[in-house]
Each structure stands twice: as C-alpha cells, then as structure tokens.
Amino acid sequence: MKRSLIIFLISQFSFLISPAQNVREVFKSMPDSLAPYLTTNNRLDMIDFMDAKMKSVVTNLLEGETEMLALTDDSLSVQLNKSVLMDLWLEPVDTGRVVCMRKTYQVADRLQQVVDERFSLQWQPISKKTTVSTLLRRDEEIKKKPHF
C-alpha cells in the first residue's frame, strides 16, 4: 500500500515539474524578447483562434497584423509581419526535446535571410551560435532563357 502511494506521488510530482511537451505550451511561455511586439495575450489569442477554426490574426504592438498560419502539436508558423515569418518546432534529442526557431526575413524582392536558433523547453539558448543563411530566389525569366 505504501509502495503504491509513493509511486503515485512521484508520478504526480514528476508530471508537475516536467517541462511543456507540445508547441502550444512552448509558444505560450516564449519570452517577449524573441518577438518584442507580440504580447503574451496576442500569442494566447492566436492559439484560441486556431482551436476555434477561425482566422488567427491579432493586432501587434506596432499596430500591424500578425497571423498564425499553422499549428500542430509539434510545430507552428506565424507571419509576424509582411517581412518576417517565424517557424517553431520541437525536435527530439537524446535528452528529450529542443525548440527550434527559424525566422525568415524577406530582405529584398528576391533575397531572403534565414536565422535558425535552438532553445531548451525553458527557452535557454542551447548554443550561442545561430545559423544565418541568405537565400536568393531564382528569377523565372532567368530559368526560361536558353543556356549558351
């Protein structure tokens, strides 16, 4: 009897201290510094709108529109503004899961800059090194030209 009670209490306690295991909880707990003009209430509203199968658009602190485009248990995509798309997903690792964040900046008409970062579930940076890459979108006219 005592043994089963102890096992029950340990399992309940471990549930309380275990970190969030889905992207909804991770997004809710995201520090404001990672998207400064998106408040906690904005994030909660977007999740609620997606759950209600409504268009998930909120007015951010810059008086612009931010829209959640997709939401699953493991990933989400948010158009922060016309120029920035943020993707979050949970990736399994040996020690559990990590949060991967990709921000895609539309720098120019045919130029994008992508910044990848990784965090623990408590939003602690895993490494100080972030991956930054620049992508050029191919021009359709160049594709159609004959090659010499």
Side-chain angles (χ1 to χ4, degrees):
M1 178 72 174
K2 289 181 182 181
R3 185 176 183 185
S4 61
L5 180 62
I6 291 172
I7 291 172
F8 175 75
L9 290 175
I10 290 173
S11 67
Q12 293 301 314
F13 182 70
S14 65
F15 174 75
L16 292 174
I17 63 169
S18 69
Q21 291 297 314
N22 66 40
V23 80
R24 293 167 192 263
E25 297 304 317
V26 170
F27 186 59
K28 288 176 186 179
S29 67
M30 183 175 82
D32 292 339
S33 62
L34 295 175
Y37 52 89
L38 194 60
T39 66
T40 303
N41 285 337
N42 288 148
R43 294 193 302 269
L44 295 174
D45 287 345
M46 286 191 292
I47 291 171
D48 289 343
F49 293 151
M50 289 297 281
D51 289 341
K53 309 257 189 274
M54 298 169 56
K55 188 172 181 180
S56 184
V57 177
V58 296
T59 302
N60 58 42
L61 292 176
L62 297 176
E63 300 299 322
E65 288 187 347
T66 298
E67 180 177 6
M68 184 176 284
L69 304 173
L71 176 64
T72 67
D73 287 339
D74 293 331
S75 66
L76 63 83
S77 182
V78 176
Q79 188 74 46
L80 295 173
N81 58 41
K82 292 179 182 179
S83 301
V84 183
L85 175 69
M86 180 179 68
D87 295 304
L88 286 179
W89 67 93
L90 299 177
E91 191 170 285
V93 293
D94 294 338
T95 58
R97 294 175 123 187
V98 295
V99 179
C100 298
M101 175 188 285
R102 174 173 289 152
K103 288 185 181 175
T104 306
Y105 299 89
Q106 190 68 40
V107 179
D109 186 36
R110 294 184 179 94
L111 182 65
Q112 291 180 338
Q113 188 172 37
V114 178
V115 178
D116 289 325
E117 297 178 273
R118 294 174 57 155
F119 301 91
S120 70
L121 292 175
Q122 294 80 25
W123 289 102
Q124 299 300 316
I126 289 181
S127 66
K128 295 185 187 225
K129 179 182 167 189
T130 59
T131 306
V132 179
S133 55
T134 303
L135 305 174
L136 294 173
R137 293 187 342 200
R138 292 211 92 164
D139 189 355
E140 292 300 320
E141 295 174 16
I142 293 174
K143 287 182 182 178
K144 293 179 183 177
K145 288 184 180 181
H147 296 287
F148 294 36

